[in-house]
Amino acid sequence: MSLPQPNLFLSSKEDAMHFKELWTIHNPAKPISLPQLFSIRNISIAGIIAAVYVALTLINPWSFGGVQFRLSEALTVLPILLPQSIPGLFVGVLISNLFSPVGILDVIFGSLATLLAALISYGCRRTVWAAMLSPVLVNGLIIGLLLHFVEHLPLLPTMASVAFGELVVVLLLGTLLLKSLDRIDLQNR
């Protein structure tokens, strides 16, 4: 007599509902015009996000190098809820990377990688898993390439290491942040 095989993923309708709820955002970012993006309120929000990003990066000893767990990368989920976070993340990375051992190349390419990932996340904001995966893939690719060429680290392991560190931070801390902020209608506050 053979035993029934357990379903390791979704064993009941209730489990499926919990899984769906995890990846559902109730208050995704609404489109915002360029003049609105540069209002005093929105520039202030971007500035606060940039400051928090810099602080979280600089207090963390694993923010730079081939193996990095940059806690500030949890903030890369914010474009799902707040388009104002896009310039804040860009400026935060730009300032943080001024302290990078890689130098000006990290300032340029790291900032552009984050800007690209934030724009993709905002564009995919209704598909949460895709929006959260964009900083993982973009940073794994661009920062991995940068570290390969500048520090002569092996390409594929470096890309994988950067992407893995990003994945851990985004999935753990980013999901907590996203779920906490989703309960608040940030657009109308």
Side-chain angles (χ1 to χ4, degrees):
M1 172 175 196
S2 69
L3 296 173
Q5 293 295 320
N7 183 344
L8 297 176
F9 297 104
L10 302 174
S11 59
S12 69
K13 276 190 170 183
E14 188 176 306
D15 288 345
M17 293 299 290
H18 288 304
F19 183 78
K20 184 178 180 187
E21 181 64 26
L22 178 65
W23 299 108
T24 302
I25 294 298
H26 301 287
N27 297 306
K30 295 177 181 120
I32 189 169
S33 69
L34 207 52
Q36 286 176 318
L37 188 61
F38 291 105
S39 71
I40 292 173
R41 176 184 182 271
N42 291 336
I43 289 173
S44 300
I45 291 170
I48 291 167
I49 290 169
V52 170
Y53 188 97
V54 171
L56 287 173
T57 300
L58 297 182
I59 64 168
N60 180 8
W62 300 287
S63 289
F64 300 102
V67 177
Q68 43 182 274
F69 289 92
R70 195 178 267 203
L71 301 177
S72 49
E73 287 294 303
L75 300 175
T76 61
V77 302
L78 289 177
I80 298 170
L81 300 174
L82 286 170
Q84 303 91 323
S85 65
I86 297 169
L89 290 169
F90 174 74
V91 170
V93 172
L94 191 140
I95 294 169
S96 295
N97 287 351
L98 289 172
F99 299 92
S100 169
V102 176
I104 192 70
L105 291 176
D106 202 12
V107 173
I108 296 167
F109 291 106
S111 303
L112 291 175
T114 296
L115 179 61
L116 176 63
L119 290 170
I120 293 170
S121 291
Y122 176 70
C124 297
R125 65 191 176 276
R126 296 204 181 275
T127 309
V128 178
W129 64 268
M132 292 178 76
L133 201 56
S134 90
V136 173
L137 296 176
V138 170
N139 283 321
L141 178 69
I142 294 174
I143 304 307
L145 278 167
L146 177 67
L147 292 171
H148 169 71
F149 287 114
V150 174
E151 295 189 355
H152 309 290
L153 297 173
L155 180 60
L156 293 179
T158 303
M159 291 170 112
S161 174
V162 171
F164 177 74
E166 185 88 12
L167 182 69
V168 169
V169 171
V170 168
L171 281 184
L172 294 179
L173 299 177
T175 300
L176 288 172
L177 178 64
L178 192 61
K179 286 303 184 181
S180 298
L181 293 177
D182 187 39
R183 301 182 194 288
I184 305 166
D185 186 7
L186 295 172
Q187 298 295 316
N188 296 320
R189 288 196 165 243

